[in-house]
Amino acid sequence: MQDNDFLINYYNEYDEEGRLQNNRVGMVEYLTTRRYLDPLLTKDCKIAEIGAGTGRYSVTLAKESYDVTAVELVQHNLDILRSKLDGSEKIKTFQGNALDLNMLEDNVYDVTLLLGPMYHLYSDGEKITALKEAVRVTKPGGHILVAYCMNEATVIQYVFGCNKLREIMDLHMLTDDWQCISEPKDLFEMVRTEDIERINASVPVERVKLVATDGASRYIREYLEEMDDETFEKWLSYHFATCERQELIGATNHALDILRKV
């Protein structure tokens, strides 16, 4: 059973509002997601965002005149999301859990975004349930975009980069083959590409693309913030040119799995 107390307490204090827009690493993630999302959108399409946070995607899309439904678990985040709306947007908002989207009907949405919930689900069973719910509400032939936190970036940047190896080993948070082990108090769950493929195998979907949404950006985040605008544009060009290279996907911090419902 999902324990949401740690998650709710975390997001009550965390600046989710600024994560994707107040620093260049977040900008890379957002711009990459939009780069792959936008070609899937048509004028009259219906979009669901499950785990909408404070609305960086759902509010922006609603203000771009799309028909949006936003579901968010954390009331604090939902309050911020709703505060951005002026009533002119075509958007419905719900407090709800990605594991049970009972407020949403089957086969309604052309595009369903699941850009946060998989970060906080700790078993294959929970991940499969969330993905099944997202697929259920999506039209046949529609797309589901699913974001994951990746294992190797955490091992490299946090375990070794932040000198946490001894602490993590003492807490038995690594397997012998360096898979991170998480539970709700740890807040985030890390996966490998083979874990994603195993989850997908339980659901009637086919993969369109698996993309590194921030690639190496977090590895050079200090340099990224110091770049002049011209150099940052070159970094974006490099990132967009390499973000589909499958041999690099495992080392990104965030990956985006683009699926089609069959």
Side-chain angles (χ1 to χ4, degrees), residues 26-185:
M27 288 172 60
V28 172
E29 181 184 339
Y30 177 77
L31 291 171
T32 306
T33 302
R34 289 300 305 259
R35 183 180 178 88
Y36 287 90
L37 168 62
D38 289 2
L40 305 178
L41 304 179
T42 60
K43 180 180 177 181
D44 298 321
C45 71
K46 293 181 180 294
I47 304 166
E49 185 176 15
I50 315 305
T54 58
R56 181 68 177 102
Y57 292 97
S58 54
V59 171
T60 303
L61 290 165
K63 289 185 179 295
E64 292 173 4
S65 300
Y66 292 106
D67 184 335
V68 178
T69 297
V71 180
E72 169 57 26
L73 174 68
V74 180
Q75 186 64 51
H76 174 71
N77 286 343
L78 192 58
D79 290 342
I80 295 174
L81 186 158
R82 288 170 172 164
S83 74
K84 299 178 184 179
L85 304 172
D86 61 20
S88 64
E89 306 87 355
K90 194 172 184 180
I91 183 170
K92 296 184 289 293
T93 63
F94 300 93
Q95 184 179 27
N97 192 315
L99 299 176
D100 182 8
L101 300 176
N102 62 80
M103 75 293 291
L104 305 184
E105 297 181 358
D106 298 357
N107 304 316
V108 170
Y109 299 98
D110 299 278
V111 177
T112 300
L113 306 178
L114 197 67
L115 301 181
M118 293 302 199
Y119 301 170
H120 309 297
L121 299 175
Y122 301 91
S123 69
D124 275 11
E126 288 182 334
K127 295 185 187 80
I128 290 168
T129 296
L131 185 54
K132 282 183 175 179
E133 279 290 83
V135 171
R136 175 183 66 79
V137 304
T138 305
K139 294 177 181 177
H143 292 87
I144 304 98
L145 278 61
V146 190
Y148 292 91
C149 293
M150 303 303 287
N151 187 83
E152 294 354 292
T154 300
V155 173
I156 295 167
Q157 295 175 289
Y158 183 74
V159 176
F160 287 104
C162 295
N163 195 26
K164 297 288 186 178
L165 177 62
R166 179 54 54 194
E167 176 184 341
I168 294 299
M169 292 182 68
D170 288 345
L171 292 170
H172 306 289
M173 294 179 68
L174 286 167
T175 65
D176 290 341
D177 68 345
W178 299 92
Q179 176 81 49
C180 296
I181 302 170
S182 302
E183 53 186 86
K185 67 179 178 59

Side-chain angles (χ1 to χ4, degrees), residues 235-247:
W235 174 258
L236 284 174
S237 177
Y238 167 77
H239 169 69
F240 292 148
T242 58
C243 65
E244 292 184 31
R245 288 180 55 176
Q246 295 304 292
E247 74 271 24

